[in-house]
Amino acid sequence: MFKALKSKNFKLFFYGQSVSVIGTWMQKTAVSWMVYSITGSVFLLGLATFLSMIPSLFLAPLAGSIIGRYDRHRAMIVLQSLAMLQAGSLALLIYLKIYNINFILALSLIQGIINAFDMTCRQTMMIDIVDKREDLPNAVALNSTMNNFARIAGPALAGIILHQYGEDICFIGNFVSYVPVLISLLMMKITPHIKAENKLNMLDDLVEGLDYVKKETEMARMLLMLTCSSLFVISFNTLMPVFAKDIFSGNAQTFSWFESAAGIGSVLSAIYLANLKSAENMNKLMIAASLLLGFSIIILALSSNLTIALICMTLSGVGMMGQTSSINIYIQTQSTVNMRSRSISYYMMAYQGMIPVGSLIIGYVSHFIGTRHTVALQGIICIISVIVYVYYKNHKVSEDLETCPVPYQNSKN
C-alpha cells in the first residue's frame, strides 16, 4: 500500500501536504459554518463554495497549458506561497472580528484562482516525484488517502475549535499549516523540467488538448460522467450545514460529524485503491462507485435518524472517492507524456470546475422544493447517469464488433 513512499520526493510531498490539507479542511469547515451562521442564507452558503471553485472551470485549461511547459516544482513553491498569503489575510480579517461577508467572498474567489493552478500542478507533478512509473497509481491513491484523512481530521478538529475557542483559531491554524509544505518542497531534489521550445499558444493548446480527449473515447466518456456527477450530484455536500443545523437540530460539531463521516468513507475507498495491483478495470470500479453514491444519498435524503444519516454519508464518501479517483488514475496512467497536463486540466475542469456551478444550482433549487427533495433528486440523477454511461459504452462495443472484419473461412462448396 505504501510502495510510492519509497520515493524520497514523494515522501516529502506526502508528509508536508498531510499537515497543510488538514488546515485547508479546517478553514473550509469554518467558512461554511460562519457564512451560514452570519447570513442564514443557503444561497450565500452555495455562493461561497461557488467562488472558491468556479475559477477551475475557466482557468484549468490555461493552467494545463502553462504548467506543461514550465518547471512544476518551482510553480508549486510559488502557488503554495500565494495560498499561504490568502490564508493569512483571511485569518487576520477574522482575528480582527471583521465579519464582512463581501471580504470573505472575495478571499474565497482568490483562493479559487490559486487552486485552479495549484491542483492541476499538484496532479501533474506526481510523475516527477515518483521514481518508478508503475508506482504512479499507488501515489495517486495515497495522495487521495491523505486528502480524505484530512477531510476527517480537519472538520472534526474545526468542530472542536469552533465550539471551544472560536473561528479565528481555525483560520490561524490553516495559515501556519503551510509552513511544513513549503519546507518539504524546498527539500525536494527534482531534475528541472525543460521548457518547451514553442511559445505558449493558448488557442492551439486548447484545440489540441480537446482533440486528444475526444479521440480517447473511453477517457471522454469518463470525463462526461464526472462532469454530470460534479454538476448535479457531488454538490449535495453544500447542503450539509442545513442537514446539521435545521433538519437534525445540531450545532457546529454536528456539522463536523457529517463532513468527517464522508471523509471516513473516502479514506476507506482510497485505501482499497492504494492496494490495487494494477490500474486495469477503472471503468468498472467507477460504475460500482457511482451506483453506491447515488443510492446512499437517496437514503440520506429520506432518513430521519442521525445515525443512519451519518452511515449514508460514509457510504457516499466511499462512492464519491471511488468515482473521482478511478477516473483520475485512468487519466494519469493512460495519457501520453506530452498530453498529461492538459488531460488532467480537463479532469480538474470537469471535477472542481463543475462543482461550484452545481452548488449554486442546488442552493437555488432547494429554495423551491426543499433540502430533502433536492438531495433525493441528486441521487436519482446519479443512477440515471450510470445507466446512460453503461448503455453508450455497450453500444460502442456492439458497433466495434459489427464493423470488425470477419475472417475468411474455406467452404467445401
Side-chain angles (χ1 to χ4, degrees), residues 4 6-9 126-133 135:
K6 294 178 182 177
S7 303
K8 184 179 178 181
N9 288 326
M126 287 291 167
I127 195 69
D128 298 329
I129 59 178
V130 176
D131 295 338
K132 297 179 181 179
R133 182 180 174 83
D135 291 343

Side-chain angles (χ1 to χ4, degrees), residues 390-402:
V390 172
Y391 171 78
Y392 279 102
K393 180 178 175 59
N394 291 337
H395 183 67
K396 175 64 177 175
V397 172
S398 298
E399 285 184 345
D400 291 342
L401 289 173
E402 288 175 3

